[in-house]
Amino acid sequence: MTPDSINGKKPQLFGVFARGEILNRLSLPSNDPAGLVITPLLARDKAIDADSVDLRLGTYFLLPRSLPEAYFCPDQNTATSLHVKIHVPLGRYLVIPAHQTVLGSTLEFIKLPYDASGEILTKSSVARTFIVVETAPWIHPEYRGCLTLEIANVSNTPVLLYPGRSIGQLILLHVARDYDPVAKIGSTYFGPIHPEAPPFDNPEDDLAKIGVRRTAVIRKGIIVKGGRFEVTEPGPKFHRADAALPSGEAQG
Amino acid sequence: MQSAQDSLIHEATSLFRLVESIDIFVAEHENLFSYTEATQAFFLHIHDQAAVTRNSVSDIIEKLAQAPEHAAPRYRRELIIHKDRWRTLHTYIKPATDAHTLNLPSPLIQMATEDLRRIPGMEGTAVVVLLTPELMYYHNTPQSRPPSQLAFVEVPYSQGPSFFTNLTIYHELGHYVYDSLADSYNQSTAFTALVAAMSRAFDDMFDESLKTPSTRTWAKRVLDAWTKEVFCDLFALRHLGPAFSFALIDMLSLIGLMEEETEVKFDAEHPATALRLREQLTRLRDDGWWAEVQDLPSEHVSLIARVAGKSESDYFFEFAEKRLPAFTEAFLTIVPFIHALVSDVTPHCKSAAEDFSRRRLEIEDCFLHGVVPSKLLAEGEASSPTQVSMINAAYCFYLTLLPKLMDKLEGQESYNLIHRKKWIEKLEAWTMKGIEDHQLLTATAATQ
């Protein structure tokens, strides 16, 4: 049951965008804050359903790299260390091995209105082949770019993915917020065309911001004759001495 | 001491190993990367040639085993022909394998291919890109029987995936077009008129001054090179509009050739920058482009106007420290015929500026809001911006509005080169995505 008023204001009823509203928003110019952009919208009539828009798989992927180390640390080296970028042109396919995840992106470039969030769901026909678009499906208002997709093959069989075929569906939901014409837009994930590796700061920098003074890190190095440990990579900005600690214990 | 037969077997085995090594090298790269259709056609040619050579070399050795000792020189000659071919092909293969689609502005290459195919007689042409260690663009054709209708263009490896400087690829394709026109059995009236003008200019200016045949050959080669360069500039300009001039300025500037002291100087390969920009400006005016960009608050525009305005009397060509004014005078009489030939070859490019005039602000507005301009394509075929409009609007945006975009974003300073580089690359990516979407929408529409 909806209350009659909240803080003296009549509450608005919000829900999922229906086909009519999707079409209305698509017809607005790209500089209209309420406008929705989905381009290229191929086979437009079929792509827009009663309450969702079908999205296709793009042609660029980031595959997990086999690392020379026994671990992966999300730090400033992430962009170049964990992923291998590949291009699979339209008409070719990518094989996803069983139980593996790759990063792909939508073929469509999307700009969300200021008053809508989005959610990307696996297209049901795709999900029934045990391919799942998963883990970070939420899209914030005013996002623009091709959507990076975490595509997992949860089956026991390698599966072929063809760029250009439908992979997911975009659901749009109203967000109760006002448009601020002078607010600056976050630039981290602004306008990507290909799947992007996540940018991380080093863990010691992130934790220092919340008052953690000592952070355990694993450092690359070699043992030289006599058992002495020599570090072979540049040290972190904080707590250099901790690098030599054998324990992985973090202390606040 | 080795017999002639033993020596020949040794040579044949070395060649066999070389060819097999190249064949495997290409196959390995094909497994690792994606390539354009043209590059795949080139690789197929390499695989075919490798099979032919391996069979041929094996045949030679089998025949040799049954032939008398004195027959060896004949077989050696056959081996030499194969070796020469592979020595040449060898230089093309690494640059071609480096040019996979992650290292290329693929939508631009596709667009250039489609533009080439609009020229009568070039309907089947495809563009193979080679990544070169030189910081310069070249047109290049293998001398050893490449598959017909493959145009080879060398792109500096550092510029591979970027967009704006790679617009100068069109100039290199101009070389391919010019050479094809020259080699054609059925030369057009415009080309015949150009050749006649070159011959006339040569006879009028050089009869007395050039005495020896070798000097006359050299002089003809110089005039021919200048003619070709201006043709290539105008060919690229007709297809790309002012974006080509902007890209040329950026590229020449990057390699240090946009210096004031050399603006009016011709060398044996290239006419002076002042003349090149003057002819480009003439063409931009004639095609309606200049009116659209002349008020752009950009250094590039004022530079074109200033350099193109240099007096003809300042042009000079120097060889062995001696000024040769007859060359520049002769060349100036040829230039109108180059314009006529370019118009003849590119009638399909006539109205590109009109579309730009109508759609520029909308496209720039898309970029300003971080949106790929193909959004405008969805609004209907009749009002869709062309690829050329998107490219020119993107270049204008790059030259004038990038700080305005950065100003809308958190923590981005237009004087910070790391930030600026990031947004130039984004702008290039949005432009390429717009072109790619245009190609996809056009292909989809054609099937419906």
Side-chain angles (χ1 to χ4, degrees):
Chain A
M1 192 174 162
T2 313
D4 290 338
S5 72
I6 299 171
N7 293 335
K9 286 184 182 172
K10 191 178 177 186
Q12 292 172 280
L13 288 174
F14 285 129
V16 172
F17 278 33
R19 179 184 167 89
E21 180 152 19
I22 292 170
L23 289 170
N24 282 341
R25 297 293 188 112
L26 283 172
S27 69
L28 297 174
S30 56
N31 60 4
D32 188 322
L36 169 68
V37 174
I38 303 175
T39 179
L41 202 43
L42 305 172
R44 185 184 171 102
D45 288 342
K46 282 186 187 167
I48 303 173
D49 214 332
D51 55 359
S52 66
V53 184
D54 282 356
L55 299 180
R56 294 168 188 271
L57 183 61
T59 56
Y60 289 86
F61 298 88
L62 294 177
L63 309 187
R65 189 195 295 269
S66 293
L67 297 176
E69 295 86 17
Y71 62 91
F72 167 70
C73 176
D75 58 20
Q76 281 183 346
N77 297 323
T78 311
T80 53
S81 67
L82 189 61
H83 306 97
V84 181
K85 189 174 187 177
I86 64 160
H87 178 222
V88 182
L90 295 175
R92 306 275 290 271
Y93 58 77
L94 174 72
V95 181
I96 312 220
H99 307 295
Q100 283 221 5
T101 300
V102 301
L103 297 181
S105 67
T106 58
L107 185 69
E108 294 84 359
F109 184 100
I110 287 156
K111 189 212 109 185
L112 289 196
Y114 78 96
D115 59 346
S117 291
E119 187 173 11
I120 176 102
L121 303 175
T122 314
K123 203 169 158 54
S124 58
S125 53
V126 173
R128 288 171 201 183
T129 65
F130 307 105
I131 290 289
V132 184
V133 176
E134 60 173 10
T135 64
W138 198 255
I139 312 152
H140 297 296
E142 298 187 83
Y143 172 85
R144 61 212 71 195
C146 295
L147 296 170
T148 294
L149 308 171
E150 296 87 11
I151 305 166
N153 175 7
V154 295
S155 76
N156 292 321
T157 314
V159 175
L160 305 193
L161 288 183
Y162 282 89
R165 292 181 94 182
S166 295
I167 183 90
Q169 47 196 166
L170 176 68
I171 314 291
L172 296 161
L173 301 105
H174 289 275
V175 175
R177 72 191 281 258
D178 295 325
Y179 177 62
D180 178 357
V182 294
K184 296 212 172 192
I185 303 170
S187 60
T188 307
Y189 289 118
F190 187 90
I193 297 296
H194 304 150
E196 290 193 345
F200 285 109
D201 285 334
N202 285 327
E204 63 273 19
D205 297 344
D206 280 340
L207 294 173
K209 288 174 194 161
I210 57 167
V212 179
R213 293 170 49 232
R214 290 161 58 84
T215 302
V217 294
I218 303 176
R219 305 296 309 282
K220 279 189 218 169
I222 51 170
I223 303 288
V224 293
K225 198 175 177 185
R228 191 162 49 83
F229 181 75
E230 279 186 3
V231 173
T232 57
E233 65 179 346
K237 280 182 266 180
F238 299 103
H239 311 298
R240 258 193 100 85
D242 290 358
L245 288 175
S247 155
E249 234 180 359
Q251 297 171 50
Chain B
M1 190 179 155
Q2 265 193 331
S3 71
Q5 283 186 330
D6 286 342
S7 163
L8 205 57
I9 290 171
H10 180 82
E11 279 182 48
T13 312
S14 296
L15 178 60
F16 192 97
R17 286 184 66 200
L18 170 75
V19 171
E20 185 144 293
S21 163
I22 291 173
D23 201 22
I24 291 170
F25 180 83
V26 171
E28 281 175 352
H29 280 78
E30 286 176 295
N31 286 334
L32 285 173
F33 300 107
S34 296
Y35 291 94
T36 61
E37 279 180 30
T39 303
Q40 285 176 46
F42 177 57
F43 289 160
L44 192 60
H45 171 73
I46 298 297
H47 292 312
D48 287 346
Q49 288 295 308
V52 167
T53 305
R54 278 195 301 252
N55 289 338
S56 179
V57 170
S58 299
D59 278 354
I60 288 171
I61 298 307
E62 273 177 32
K63 283 184 211 159
L64 183 71
Q66 286 145 35
E69 178 86 4
H70 64 78
R74 179 159 59 87
Y75 294 121
R76 171 162 283 117
R77 278 196 295 277
E78 283 185 44
L79 273 187
I80 287 170
I81 293 169
H82 285 295
K83 282 184 192 174
D84 284 347
R85 180 176 305 147
W86 282 98
R87 194 170 56 229
T88 307
L89 282 176
H90 188 274
T91 60
Y92 286 83
I93 288 161
K94 178 70 168 64
T97 54
D98 285 345
H100 52 77
T101 51
L102 285 176
N103 279 345
L104 286 186
S106 303
L108 179 66
I109 305 300
Q110 180 62 29
M111 178 183 152
T113 304
E114 285 167 12
D115 281 336
L116 269 187
R117 289 176 177 173
R118 287 198 187 95
I119 298 168
M122 296 191 186
E123 292 81 359
T125 306
V127 180
V128 179
V129 177
L130 310 170
L131 291 188
T132 168
E134 304 292 327
L135 188 50
M136 184 50 94
Y137 291 79
Y138 299 101
H139 164 245
N140 196 335
T141 302
Q143 297 303 307
S144 62
R145 295 186 297 169
S148 61
Q149 296 192 300
L150 287 187
F152 287 75
V153 174
E154 289 188 68
V155 171
Y157 72 88
S158 58
Q159 304 300 305
S162 70
F163 183 77
F164 290 133
T165 49
N166 276 331
L167 294 174
T168 54
I169 284 172
Y170 269 76
H171 172 99
E172 305 311 323
L173 292 177
H175 283 279
Y176 176 82
V177 172
Y178 188 93
D179 290 346
S180 301
L181 293 172
D183 292 344
S184 170
Y185 289 115
N186 190 16
Q187 285 181 344
S188 67
T189 315
F191 194 82
T192 315
L194 172 64
V195 173
M198 290 167 74
S199 177
R200 226 171 17 248
F202 191 81
D203 290 342
D204 290 350
M205 301 287 177
F206 299 123
D207 251 6
E208 299 302 314
S209 54
L210 300 177
K211 303 275 190 279
T212 66
S214 64
T215 317
R216 292 176 66 79
T217 305
W218 172 78
K220 274 188 174 159
R221 210 174 283 155
V222 169
L223 281 188
D224 196 37
W226 292 352
T227 301
K228 219 188 261 193
E229 285 300 318
V230 173
F231 173 86
C232 295
D233 281 351
L234 300 180
F235 174 85
L237 197 79
R238 282 282 279 181
H239 284 97
L240 295 172
F244 169 71
S245 301
F246 299 154
L248 184 68
I249 289 170
D250 278 339
M251 191 58 212
L252 292 177
S253 170
L254 195 62
I255 56 178
L257 292 180
M258 280 303 294
E259 304 303 326
E260 205 163 342
E261 55 270 26
T262 57
E263 283 168 354
V264 289
K265 184 182 175 185
F266 288 58
D267 65 31
E269 302 288 330
H270 298 88
T273 311
L275 179 125
R276 292 176 73 177
L277 289 180
R278 186 183 82 167
E279 297 316 315
Q280 289 177 39
L281 180 56
T282 303
R283 196 80 226 187
L284 288 173
R285 284 200 173 110
D286 290 352
D287 287 349
W289 281 106
W290 189 245
E292 300 301 327
V293 296
Q294 64 181 345
D295 296 327
L296 207 66
S298 156
E299 179 65 20
H300 286 57
V301 170
S302 47
L303 189 136
I304 292 171
R306 180 185 67 74
V307 178
K310 295 260 176 183
S311 167
E312 276 180 11
S313 58
D314 292 337
Y315 296 166
F316 70 96
F317 173 48
E318 216 171 48
F319 191 75
E321 296 185 358
K322 191 179 164 193
R323 292 212 170 185
L324 303 168
F327 278 76
T328 48
E329 285 166 26
F331 185 61
L332 288 170
T333 67
I334 298 168
V335 168
F337 294 90
I338 306 174
H339 279 273
L341 178 61
V342 172
S343 299
D344 187 61
V345 172
T346 59
H348 50 280
C349 304
K350 211 173 172 184
S351 58
E354 288 168 26
D355 185 72
F356 174 74
S357 177
R358 278 189 291 117
R359 306 311 295 263
R360 174 186 159 191
L361 294 180
E362 283 176 278
I363 300 168
E364 286 186 348
D365 205 43
C366 281
F367 290 136
L368 196 57
H369 288 84
V371 171
V372 168
S374 59
K375 191 261 180 203
L376 303 169
L377 302 172
E379 291 170 0
E381 187 66 27
S383 62
S384 295
T386 61
Q387 297 174 92
V388 182
S389 294
M390 284 193 263
I391 290 170
N392 280 280
Y395 224 124
C396 291
F397 189 94
Y398 168 45
L399 296 177
T400 59
L401 290 173
L402 202 65
K404 203 170 167 186
L405 167 68
M406 294 174 71
D407 193 45
K408 291 161 70 84
L409 301 166
E410 272 174 7
Q412 301 301 296
E413 299 288 343
S414 60
Y415 288 99
N416 180 319
L417 294 188
I418 295 172
H419 295 170
R420 204 176 175 91
K421 169 194 163 287
K422 175 180 172 177
W423 296 106
I424 292 169
E425 287 172 355
K426 288 273 187 196
L427 177 63
E428 289 188 318
W430 297 336
T431 311
M432 277 195 274
K433 173 75 175 147
I435 293 170
E436 194 171 45
D437 289 351
H438 184 282
Q439 291 161 357
L440 197 52
L441 285 160
T442 306
T444 306
T447 62
Q448 288 168 353

